[in-house]
Amino acid sequence: MIFFSSVSLGYSFLEYFMNPLLLSFGDCFQVISKIRFTSYPWIDGYFLDWGCGFCGIIMSMFVVHFVFRFFALQRRGNLKYFEGWYFLCWLAIPICLGILWAAAVQTFLHGDSESSEYMRETLLENYNLNISDIVYVGVLYHKKLADGTTILNYHGIQGVCILGAIMNICFILIIYFGVLTYQRIKQLIMEGRSEYTRKLQKQLYQALVIQTIIPVFFMIVPLTIYFFSPLFHLGHPIIGDLATFSCAMYPVLDPLPVMFVIDNYRLAILEGIGCIKRQGEVNVNVTSTSAI
């Protein structure tokens, strides 16, 4: 949870510092940021590249989170694989995928003269931005040659395919372990020996469903549409605006299911902000669910 919070804080800080614009227009998508280090614009470029890498970290963190949750619910001793050096290896997975994401952006999605000319007029008219004042990464899928013919930008498409592969692998694993966890929670609801245990398992199930929906519909789906719609000449500023909004809302929405669906957390929050008063101490043995 400390790692998850630290990544979310880093992601939020870069969002605030870079204030990126996700542009979708015609045949291209671009992630744009104003130049702040005017004497050293390459610094802004690195911030933008590695800021994009946070997307890879966040998506893969969800996979690790779902694996851990399933192992905890199995109660077969598999949590030993989240101890010692194993734990560091699990934390290394999101970091490595974030580095891969940033490297793909830096290698395949860097700016070029054709992209600059393609979006120069749109940026000036709609956003009052000059090309000389920004850094950007992205792809112009269809490039025009000197003779007027149009060719696909295969170099950029390679980079988009790498990012798409990371997103799809994370999506498949989230759904896979989400389904396994859902099936296990249904069993635990039936196995519950007390009303408290059955109620807790139902709340965990509800929180799981919502926490599965949030990354899918606020990260994976918007970014997939944002990446691939220009390939079919369907790029539109509204797509970029929605992707910007959804990615900014994700860190806010992600903890809410656990905070407000599970009674223990909800009551503690309401008590903390003064909405309710403490009713008294109740000691409950939750050893079997503490790992969850």
Coordinates of all heavy atoms in Angstrom, one line a residue, residues 184-264:
R184 N -13.8 -17.4 -5.6 CA -13.4 -17.8 -4.3 C -14.2 -17.0 -3.2 O -14.6 -17.6 -2.2 CB -11.9 -17.4 -4.1 CG -11.3 -17.8 -2.8 CD -11.5 -19.2 -2.4 NE -11.0 -19.5 -1.1 CZ -11.4 -20.5 -0.3 NH1 -12.4 -21.3 -0.7 NH2 -10.9 -20.7 0.9
I185 N -14.5 -15.8 -3.5 CA -15.3 -15.0 -2.5 C -16.7 -15.6 -2.4 O -17.3 -15.7 -1.3 CB -15.4 -13.5 -2.9 CG1 -14.0 -12.9 -2.6 CG2 -16.4 -12.8 -2.1 CD1 -13.9 -11.4 -3.0
K186 N -17.3 -16.1 -3.5 CA -18.6 -16.7 -3.4 C -18.6 -17.9 -2.6 O -19.5 -18.2 -1.8 CB -19.1 -17.1 -4.9 CG -19.5 -15.9 -5.7 CD -20.1 -16.3 -7.0 CE -21.4 -17.1 -6.9 NZ -21.9 -17.5 -8.2
Q187 N -17.5 -18.7 -2.6 CA -17.3 -19.9 -1.8 C -17.2 -19.5 -0.3 O -17.8 -20.1 0.6 CB -16.1 -20.7 -2.2 CG -16.2 -21.3 -3.6 CD -14.9 -22.0 -4.0 OE1 -13.9 -22.0 -3.2 NE2 -14.8 -22.6 -5.2
L188 N -16.4 -18.4 -0.1 CA -16.2 -18.0 1.3 C -17.5 -17.4 1.9 O -17.8 -17.6 3.1 CB -15.2 -16.9 1.4 CG -13.7 -17.3 1.1 CD1 -12.8 -16.2 1.0 CD2 -13.3 -18.3 2.1
I189 N -18.4 -16.8 1.1 CA -19.7 -16.4 1.6 C -20.5 -17.5 2.1 O -21.1 -17.5 3.2 CB -20.4 -15.6 0.5 CG1 -19.7 -14.3 0.2 CG2 -21.9 -15.3 1.0 CD1 -20.3 -13.5 -1.0
M190 N -20.4 -18.6 1.3 CA -21.2 -19.8 1.7 C -20.6 -20.5 2.9 O -21.2 -21.2 3.7 CB -21.3 -20.8 0.5 CG -21.9 -20.2 -0.7 SD -23.6 -19.6 -0.4 CE -24.4 -21.2 0.0
E191 N -19.2 -20.4 3.0 CA -18.5 -21.1 4.1 C -18.5 -20.3 5.4 O -18.2 -20.8 6.5 CB -17.0 -21.3 3.7 CG -16.9 -22.3 2.5 CD -15.4 -22.3 2.0 OE1 -14.6 -21.6 2.7 OE2 -15.2 -23.0 1.0
G192 N -19.0 -19.0 5.4 CA -18.9 -18.2 6.5 C -19.7 -18.8 7.7 O -20.9 -19.2 7.6
R193 N -19.1 -18.8 8.9 CA -19.7 -19.5 10.0 C -20.4 -18.4 10.9 O -21.1 -18.8 11.9 CB -18.6 -20.2 10.9 CG -18.0 -21.3 10.1 CD -17.0 -22.0 11.0 NE -16.3 -23.1 10.3 CZ -15.4 -23.9 10.8 NH1 -15.0 -23.7 12.1 NH2 -14.9 -24.9 10.1
S194 N -20.3 -17.2 10.6 CA -20.9 -16.1 11.4 C -21.5 -15.1 10.4 O -21.1 -15.0 9.3 CB -20.0 -15.5 12.4 OG -19.0 -14.7 11.7
E195 N -22.5 -14.3 10.9 CA -23.1 -13.3 10.1 C -22.0 -12.2 9.8 O -22.0 -11.7 8.7 CB -24.2 -12.6 10.9 CG -24.9 -11.5 10.1 CD -25.6 -12.0 8.9 OE1 -25.9 -13.2 8.8 OE2 -25.7 -11.2 7.9
Y196 N -21.1 -11.9 10.7 CA -20.0 -11.0 10.5 C -19.1 -11.4 9.3 O -18.9 -10.6 8.4 CB -19.2 -10.8 11.7 CG -17.9 -9.9 11.5 CD1 -18.0 -8.5 11.5 CD2 -16.7 -10.5 11.2 CE1 -16.9 -7.7 11.3 CE2 -15.6 -9.7 11.0 CZ -15.7 -8.3 11.0 OH -14.6 -7.5 10.8
T197 N -18.7 -12.7 9.3 CA -17.9 -13.2 8.2 C -18.6 -13.1 6.8 O -18.0 -12.7 5.9 CB -17.4 -14.6 8.5 OG1 -16.8 -14.6 9.8 CG2 -16.5 -15.1 7.4
R198 N -19.8 -13.6 6.8 CA -20.6 -13.5 5.5 C -20.7 -12.1 5.0 O -20.6 -11.8 3.8 CB -21.9 -14.2 5.7 CG -21.8 -15.7 5.8 CD -23.2 -16.4 5.7 NE -24.1 -16.0 6.8 CZ -24.2 -16.7 8.0 NH1 -23.4 -17.8 8.1 NH2 -25.0 -16.3 8.9
K199 N -21.0 -11.2 5.9 CA -21.2 -9.8 5.5 C -19.9 -9.2 5.0 O -19.9 -8.5 4.0 CB -21.7 -9.0 6.8 CG -22.1 -7.6 6.4 CD -22.7 -6.9 7.7 CE -23.0 -5.4 7.4 NZ -23.6 -4.7 8.6
L200 N -18.8 -9.5 5.7 CA -17.5 -9.0 5.3 C -17.2 -9.5 3.9 O -16.7 -8.7 3.0 CB -16.4 -9.4 6.3 CG -15.0 -8.9 5.9 CD1 -14.9 -7.4 5.8 CD2 -14.0 -9.5 7.0
Q201 N -17.4 -10.8 3.6 CA -17.1 -11.4 2.3 C -17.9 -10.7 1.2 O -17.4 -10.5 0.1 CB -17.2 -12.9 2.4 CG -16.3 -13.6 3.3 CD -14.9 -13.4 3.1 OE1 -14.5 -12.9 2.0 NE2 -14.0 -13.7 4.1
K202 N -19.2 -10.5 1.5 CA -20.0 -9.8 0.5 C -19.5 -8.4 0.2 O -19.5 -8.0 -1.0 CB -21.5 -9.7 1.0 CG -22.2 -11.1 1.0 CD -23.6 -10.9 1.5 CE -24.4 -12.2 1.5 NZ -25.8 -12.1 2.1
Q203 N -19.1 -7.7 1.2 CA -18.5 -6.4 1.0 C -17.2 -6.4 0.2 O -17.0 -5.6 -0.6 CB -18.3 -5.7 2.4 CG -19.6 -5.3 3.1 CD -19.4 -4.9 4.5 OE1 -18.2 -4.9 5.0 NE2 -20.5 -4.6 5.2
L204 N -16.4 -7.4 0.5 CA -15.1 -7.6 -0.2 C -15.4 -7.8 -1.7 O -14.7 -7.4 -2.6 CB -14.3 -8.7 0.4 CG -13.6 -8.3 1.7 CD1 -13.0 -9.6 2.3 CD2 -12.6 -7.3 1.5
Y205 N -16.4 -8.7 -1.9 CA -16.8 -9.0 -3.3 C -17.3 -7.7 -4.0 O -16.9 -7.4 -5.2 CB -17.9 -10.0 -3.3 CG -18.7 -10.1 -4.6 CD1 -18.1 -10.5 -5.8 CD2 -20.1 -9.7 -4.6 CE1 -18.9 -10.6 -7.0 CE2 -20.8 -9.7 -5.8 CZ -20.2 -10.2 -7.0 OH -20.9 -10.2 -8.1
Q206 N -18.1 -6.9 -3.4 CA -18.6 -5.7 -4.0 C -17.5 -4.7 -4.3 O -17.4 -4.1 -5.4 CB -19.7 -5.0 -3.1 CG -21.0 -5.8 -3.0 CD -21.8 -5.3 -1.8 OE1 -21.4 -4.5 -1.0 NE2 -23.0 -5.9 -1.7
A207 N -16.6 -4.6 -3.4 CA -15.4 -3.7 -3.6 C -14.5 -4.2 -4.7 O -14.0 -3.4 -5.5 CB -14.6 -3.6 -2.3
L208 N -14.4 -5.5 -4.8 CA -13.6 -6.1 -5.9 C -14.2 -5.8 -7.3 O -13.5 -5.4 -8.2 CB -13.5 -7.6 -5.7 CG -12.9 -8.4 -6.9 CD1 -11.5 -8.1 -7.0 CD2 -13.2 -9.9 -6.8
V209 N -15.5 -5.9 -7.4 CA -16.2 -5.6 -8.7 C -15.9 -4.2 -9.1 O -15.5 -3.9 -10.2 CB -17.7 -5.9 -8.6 CG1 -18.4 -5.5 -9.9 CG2 -17.9 -7.4 -8.4
I210 N -16.1 -3.3 -8.1 CA -15.9 -1.8 -8.4 C -14.5 -1.5 -8.8 O -14.2 -0.8 -9.7 CB -16.5 -1.0 -7.3 CG1 -17.9 -1.3 -7.0 CG2 -16.2 0.5 -7.6 CD1 -18.5 -0.6 -5.8
Q211 N -13.6 -2.1 -8.0 CA -12.1 -1.9 -8.2 C -11.6 -2.5 -9.5 O -10.6 -2.1 -10.0 CB -11.3 -2.4 -7.0 CG -11.3 -1.5 -5.9 CD -10.3 -1.8 -4.8 OE1 -10.1 -3.0 -4.4 NE2 -9.5 -0.8 -4.5
T212 N -12.4 -3.5 -10.1 CA -12.0 -4.0 -11.4 C -12.5 -3.1 -12.5 O -11.9 -2.9 -13.5 CB -12.6 -5.4 -11.6 OG1 -12.2 -6.3 -10.5 CG2 -12.2 -6.0 -12.9
I213 N -13.7 -2.5 -12.2 CA -14.3 -1.6 -13.2 C -13.5 -0.3 -13.4 O -13.3 0.2 -14.5 CB -15.8 -1.3 -12.9 CG1 -16.6 -2.5 -13.0 CG2 -16.3 -0.2 -13.7 CD1 -18.0 -2.4 -12.5
I214 N -13.0 0.2 -12.3 CA -12.3 1.5 -12.3 C -11.1 1.6 -13.3 O -11.0 2.4 -14.2 CB -11.9 2.0 -10.9 CG1 -13.2 2.4 -10.1 CG2 -11.0 3.2 -10.9 CD1 -13.0 2.7 -8.7
P215 N -10.1 0.6 -13.1 CA -9.0 0.7 -14.0 C -9.3 0.4 -15.5 O -8.7 1.0 -16.4 CB -8.0 -0.3 -13.5 CG -8.8 -1.3 -12.7 CD -9.9 -0.4 -12.1
V216 N -10.3 -0.5 -15.7 CA -10.7 -0.8 -17.0 C -11.3 0.4 -17.8 O -11.0 0.7 -18.9 CB -11.7 -2.0 -17.0 CG1 -12.3 -2.2 -18.4 CG2 -11.0 -3.3 -16.6
F217 N -12.3 1.1 -17.1 CA -13.0 2.2 -17.8 C -12.4 3.5 -17.6 O -12.8 4.5 -18.3 CB -14.5 2.2 -17.3 CG -15.3 1.0 -17.8 CD1 -15.5 -0.1 -17.1 CD2 -15.8 1.1 -19.1 CE1 -16.2 -1.2 -17.6 CE2 -16.5 0.0 -19.6 CZ -16.7 -1.1 -18.8
F218 N -11.4 3.7 -16.6 CA -10.8 5.0 -16.5 C -9.3 5.0 -16.9 O -8.7 6.1 -16.9 CB -10.9 5.4 -15.0 CG -12.2 5.9 -14.6 CD1 -13.2 5.1 -14.2 CD2 -12.5 7.3 -14.7 CE1 -14.5 5.6 -13.9 CE2 -13.7 7.8 -14.4 CZ -14.7 7.0 -14.0
M219 N -8.8 3.8 -17.3 CA -7.4 3.8 -17.8 C -7.3 3.1 -19.1 O -6.9 3.6 -20.1 CB -6.4 3.2 -16.8 CG -6.2 4.0 -15.5 SD -5.2 5.5 -15.8 CE -3.6 4.7 -16.0
I220 N -7.7 1.8 -19.1 CA -7.4 0.9 -20.3 C -8.3 1.3 -21.5 O -7.7 1.5 -22.6 CB -7.6 -0.5 -19.9 CG1 -6.5 -0.9 -18.8 CG2 -7.4 -1.4 -21.1 CD1 -6.7 -2.3 -18.3
V221 N -9.6 1.4 -21.3 CA -10.5 1.7 -22.4 C -10.2 3.1 -23.0 O -10.1 3.2 -24.2 CB -11.9 1.5 -22.0 CG1 -12.9 2.1 -23.1 CG2 -12.2 0.1 -21.7
P222 N -10.1 4.2 -22.2 CA -9.9 5.5 -22.7 C -8.6 5.6 -23.5 O -8.5 6.2 -24.5 CB -9.9 6.4 -21.5 CG -10.7 5.7 -20.5 CD -10.4 4.3 -20.7
L223 N -7.5 5.0 -22.9 CA -6.2 5.1 -23.6 C -6.2 4.2 -24.9 O -5.5 4.6 -25.8 CB -5.1 4.6 -22.6 CG -4.8 5.6 -21.5 CD1 -3.7 5.0 -20.6 CD2 -4.3 6.9 -22.0
T224 N -6.9 3.1 -24.9 CA -6.9 2.3 -26.1 C -7.6 3.1 -27.2 O -7.1 3.1 -28.4 CB -7.7 1.0 -25.8 OG1 -7.0 0.2 -24.8 CG2 -7.8 0.2 -27.1
I225 N -8.7 3.7 -26.9 CA -9.4 4.6 -27.9 C -8.6 5.7 -28.3 O -8.5 6.0 -29.5 CB -10.8 5.1 -27.3 CG1 -11.7 3.9 -27.1 CG2 -11.4 6.0 -28.3 CD1 -13.0 4.3 -26.3
Y226 N -7.9 6.3 -27.4 CA -7.0 7.5 -27.6 C -5.9 7.1 -28.6 O -5.5 7.8 -29.5 CB -6.5 8.0 -26.3 CG -5.5 9.1 -26.5 CD1 -5.8 10.4 -26.9 CD2 -4.1 8.8 -26.1 CE1 -4.8 11.4 -27.0 CE2 -3.2 9.8 -26.2 CZ -3.5 11.1 -26.6 OH -2.5 12.0 -26.8
F227 N -5.3 5.9 -28.3 CA -4.1 5.4 -29.1 C -4.5 5.1 -30.5 O -3.8 5.4 -31.5 CB -3.5 4.2 -28.4 CG -2.6 4.6 -27.2 CD1 -2.4 3.6 -26.3 CD2 -2.1 5.8 -27.1 CE1 -1.6 3.9 -25.2 CE2 -1.4 6.2 -26.0 CZ -1.1 5.2 -25.0
F228 N -5.7 4.4 -30.7 CA -5.9 3.7 -32.0 C -7.0 4.4 -32.9 O -7.0 4.1 -34.0 CB -6.4 2.3 -31.7 CG -5.2 1.4 -31.2 CD1 -5.2 1.1 -29.9 CD2 -4.3 0.9 -32.1 CE1 -4.1 0.3 -29.4 CE2 -3.2 0.1 -31.6 CZ -3.2 -0.2 -30.3
S229 N -7.8 5.3 -32.3 CA -8.7 6.0 -33.2 C -8.1 6.8 -34.3 O -8.6 6.8 -35.4 CB -9.7 6.9 -32.3 OG -8.9 7.9 -31.6
P230 N -7.0 7.5 -34.1 CA -6.3 8.2 -35.3 C -5.9 7.3 -36.4 O -5.7 7.7 -37.5 CB -5.2 9.0 -34.6 CG -5.5 9.1 -33.2 CD -6.3 7.8 -32.9
L231 N -5.6 6.0 -36.1 CA -5.2 5.1 -37.1 C -6.2 4.9 -38.2 O -5.9 4.7 -39.3 CB -4.8 3.7 -36.4 CG -4.4 2.6 -37.4 CD1 -3.1 3.0 -38.1 CD2 -4.2 1.3 -36.6
F232 N -7.5 5.1 -37.8 CA -8.6 5.0 -38.7 C -9.2 6.3 -39.0 O -10.4 6.5 -39.4 CB -9.7 4.1 -38.1 CG -9.2 2.7 -37.6 CD1 -8.9 2.5 -36.3 CD2 -9.0 1.7 -38.6 CE1 -8.4 1.2 -35.9 CE2 -8.5 0.5 -38.2 CZ -8.2 0.3 -36.9
H233 N -8.4 7.4 -38.9 CA -8.8 8.8 -39.2 C -9.9 9.3 -38.4 O -10.7 10.1 -38.8 CB -9.2 8.9 -40.7 CG -8.3 8.3 -41.7 ND1 -7.1 8.8 -42.0 CD2 -8.3 7.1 -42.4 CE1 -6.4 8.1 -42.9 NE2 -7.2 7.0 -43.1
L234 N -10.0 8.8 -37.1 CA -11.1 9.1 -36.3 C -10.7 10.0 -35.1 O -11.5 10.1 -34.1 CB -11.8 7.8 -35.7 CG -12.5 6.9 -36.8 CD1 -13.0 5.6 -36.2 CD2 -13.6 7.7 -37.5
G235 N -9.5 10.5 -35.1 CA -9.0 11.3 -34.0 C -9.9 12.6 -33.9 O -10.3 13.2 -34.9
H236 N -10.2 12.9 -32.6 CA -11.0 14.1 -32.3 C -10.6 14.7 -31.0 O -10.3 13.9 -30.0 CB -12.5 13.7 -32.3 CG -13.5 14.9 -32.4 ND1 -13.8 15.6 -31.3 CD2 -14.1 15.4 -33.4 CE1 -14.6 16.6 -31.6 NE2 -14.8 16.5 -32.9
P237 N -10.6 16.0 -30.8 CA -10.2 16.6 -29.5 C -11.0 16.1 -28.4 O -10.5 16.0 -27.2 CB -10.5 18.1 -29.8 CG -10.3 18.3 -31.2 CD -10.8 17.0 -31.9
I238 N -12.3 15.7 -28.6 CA -13.1 15.2 -27.4 C -12.5 13.9 -26.9 O -12.5 13.7 -25.7 CB -14.6 15.0 -27.9 CG1 -15.2 16.3 -28.2 CG2 -15.3 14.2 -26.8 CD1 -16.7 16.2 -28.7
I239 N -11.9 13.1 -27.8 CA -11.3 11.8 -27.3 C -10.1 12.2 -26.4 O -10.0 11.5 -25.3 CB -10.9 11.0 -28.5 CG1 -12.1 10.5 -29.3 CG2 -10.0 9.8 -28.0 CD1 -11.8 9.8 -30.6
G240 N -9.3 13.1 -26.8 CA -8.2 13.5 -26.0 C -8.6 14.1 -24.6 O -8.0 13.8 -23.6
D241 N -9.7 14.9 -24.7 CA -10.2 15.6 -23.4 C -10.7 14.5 -22.5 O -10.5 14.6 -21.2 CB -11.3 16.6 -23.8 CG -10.8 17.8 -24.5 OD1 -9.5 18.0 -24.5 OD2 -11.6 18.5 -25.2
L242 N -11.4 13.5 -23.0 CA -12.0 12.4 -22.1 C -10.9 11.6 -21.6 O -10.9 11.2 -20.4 CB -12.9 11.6 -22.9 CG -14.3 12.2 -23.3 CD1 -15.1 11.3 -24.2 CD2 -15.1 12.6 -22.1
A243 N -9.8 11.3 -22.4 CA -8.7 10.5 -21.9 C -8.0 11.3 -20.7 O -7.6 10.7 -19.7 CB -7.7 10.2 -23.0
T244 N -7.8 12.6 -20.9 CA -7.2 13.5 -19.9 C -8.0 13.4 -18.6 O -7.4 13.2 -17.5 CB -7.1 14.9 -20.4 OG1 -6.3 15.0 -21.6 CG2 -6.4 15.8 -19.4
F245 N -9.3 13.6 -18.7 CA -10.2 13.6 -17.6 C -10.1 12.2 -16.8 O -10.0 12.2 -15.6 CB -11.6 13.9 -18.0 CG -12.6 13.8 -16.9 CD1 -12.7 14.8 -15.9 CD2 -13.4 12.7 -16.8 CE1 -13.6 14.7 -14.9 CE2 -14.4 12.6 -15.8 CZ -14.5 13.6 -14.8
S246 N -10.3 11.1 -17.6 CA -10.3 9.8 -17.0 C -9.0 9.5 -16.3 O -9.0 8.9 -15.2 CB -10.7 8.8 -18.0 OG -9.7 8.7 -19.0
C247 N -7.9 9.8 -16.9 CA -6.6 9.4 -16.3 C -6.4 10.3 -15.0 O -5.7 9.8 -14.1 CB -5.5 9.7 -17.3 SG -5.5 8.5 -18.6
A248 N -6.9 11.5 -15.0 CA -6.7 12.4 -13.9 C -7.6 11.9 -12.7 O -7.3 12.1 -11.5 CB -7.0 13.8 -14.2
M249 N -8.8 11.4 -13.1 CA -9.8 10.9 -12.0 C -9.4 9.6 -11.4 O -9.8 9.3 -10.3 CB -11.2 10.8 -12.7 CG -11.8 12.2 -12.9 SD -12.1 13.1 -11.4 CE -13.2 12.1 -10.5
Y250 N -8.6 8.8 -12.1 CA -8.3 7.5 -11.6 C -7.7 7.4 -10.2 O -8.2 6.7 -9.4 CB -7.4 6.7 -12.6 CG -6.5 5.7 -11.9 CD1 -7.0 4.5 -11.4 CD2 -5.2 6.0 -11.6 CE1 -6.3 3.6 -10.7 CE2 -4.4 5.1 -10.9 CZ -4.9 3.9 -10.5 OH -4.2 3.1 -9.8
P251 N -6.6 8.2 -9.9 CA -6.1 8.2 -8.5 C -7.1 8.6 -7.5 O -7.0 8.1 -6.3 CB -4.9 9.1 -8.5 CG -4.6 9.3 -10.0 CD -5.9 9.2 -10.7
V252 N -8.1 9.4 -7.8 CA -9.1 9.8 -6.9 C -10.1 8.7 -6.6 O -10.5 8.5 -5.5 CB -9.8 11.1 -7.4 CG1 -10.9 11.5 -6.4 CG2 -8.8 12.2 -7.6
L253 N -10.5 8.0 -7.7 CA -11.6 7.0 -7.6 C -11.1 5.7 -7.0 O -11.9 5.0 -6.4 CB -12.2 6.8 -8.9 CG -12.9 8.0 -9.6 CD1 -13.4 7.7 -11.0 CD2 -14.1 8.5 -8.7
D254 N -9.9 5.3 -7.3 CA -9.4 4.0 -6.9 C -9.6 3.6 -5.5 O -10.1 2.5 -5.2 CB -7.9 3.8 -7.3 CG -7.4 2.5 -7.0 OD1 -7.9 1.5 -7.5 OD2 -6.5 2.4 -6.1
P255 N -9.3 4.4 -4.5 CA -9.5 3.9 -3.1 C -10.9 4.0 -2.6 O -11.2 3.4 -1.5 CB -8.6 4.9 -2.3 CG -8.6 6.1 -3.1 CD -8.7 5.7 -4.5
L256 N -11.8 4.7 -3.3 CA -13.1 4.9 -2.8 C -13.9 3.6 -2.5 O -14.7 3.5 -1.5 CB -13.9 5.8 -3.7 CG -13.4 7.2 -3.9 CD1 -14.3 8.1 -4.7 CD2 -13.2 7.9 -2.5
P257 N -13.9 2.6 -3.4 CA -14.7 1.4 -3.1 C -14.4 0.7 -1.7 O -15.3 0.4 -1.0 CB -14.3 0.4 -4.2 CG -13.9 1.3 -5.3 CD -13.2 2.5 -4.7
V258 N -13.1 0.6 -1.4 CA -12.7 0.0 -0.1 C -13.1 0.9 1.0 O -13.6 0.5 2.1 CB -11.2 -0.3 -0.1 CG1 -10.8 -0.7 1.3 CG2 -10.8 -1.4 -1.1
M259 N -13.0 2.2 0.8 CA -13.2 3.2 1.9 C -14.7 3.3 2.2 O -15.1 3.5 3.4 CB -12.7 4.6 1.5 CG -11.2 4.7 1.4 SD -10.7 6.2 0.6 CE -11.3 7.4 1.7
F260 N -15.6 3.1 1.3 CA -17.0 3.3 1.5 C -17.9 2.1 1.4 O -19.0 2.1 1.8 CB -17.5 4.4 0.6 CG -17.0 5.8 0.9 CD1 -15.9 6.3 0.1 CD2 -17.4 6.5 2.0 CE1 -15.4 7.5 0.4 CE2 -16.9 7.7 2.3 CZ -15.9 8.3 1.5
V261 N -17.4 1.0 0.8 CA -18.2 -0.2 0.7 C -18.0 -1.1 1.9 O -19.0 -1.7 2.4 CB -17.8 -1.0 -0.6 CG1 -18.4 -2.4 -0.6 CG2 -18.1 -0.2 -1.8
I262 N -16.8 -1.2 2.5 CA -16.5 -2.0 3.6 C -16.8 -1.2 4.9 O -16.3 -0.1 5.1 CB -15.1 -2.5 3.6 CG1 -14.8 -3.3 2.4 CG2 -14.7 -3.3 4.9 CD1 -13.4 -3.8 2.2
D263 N -17.7 -1.8 5.7 CA -18.2 -1.1 6.9 C -17.1 -0.6 7.8 O -17.2 0.6 8.3 CB -19.1 -2.1 7.7 CG -20.5 -2.3 7.1 OD1 -20.8 -1.5 6.1 OD2 -21.2 -3.2 7.5
N264 N -16.1 -1.4 8.1 CA -15.1 -1.0 9.0 C -14.4 0.4 8.6 O -14.2 1.2 9.4 CB -14.0 -2.1 9.2 CG -14.6 -3.3 9.7 OD1 -15.6 -3.8 9.3 ND2 -13.9 -3.9 10.7

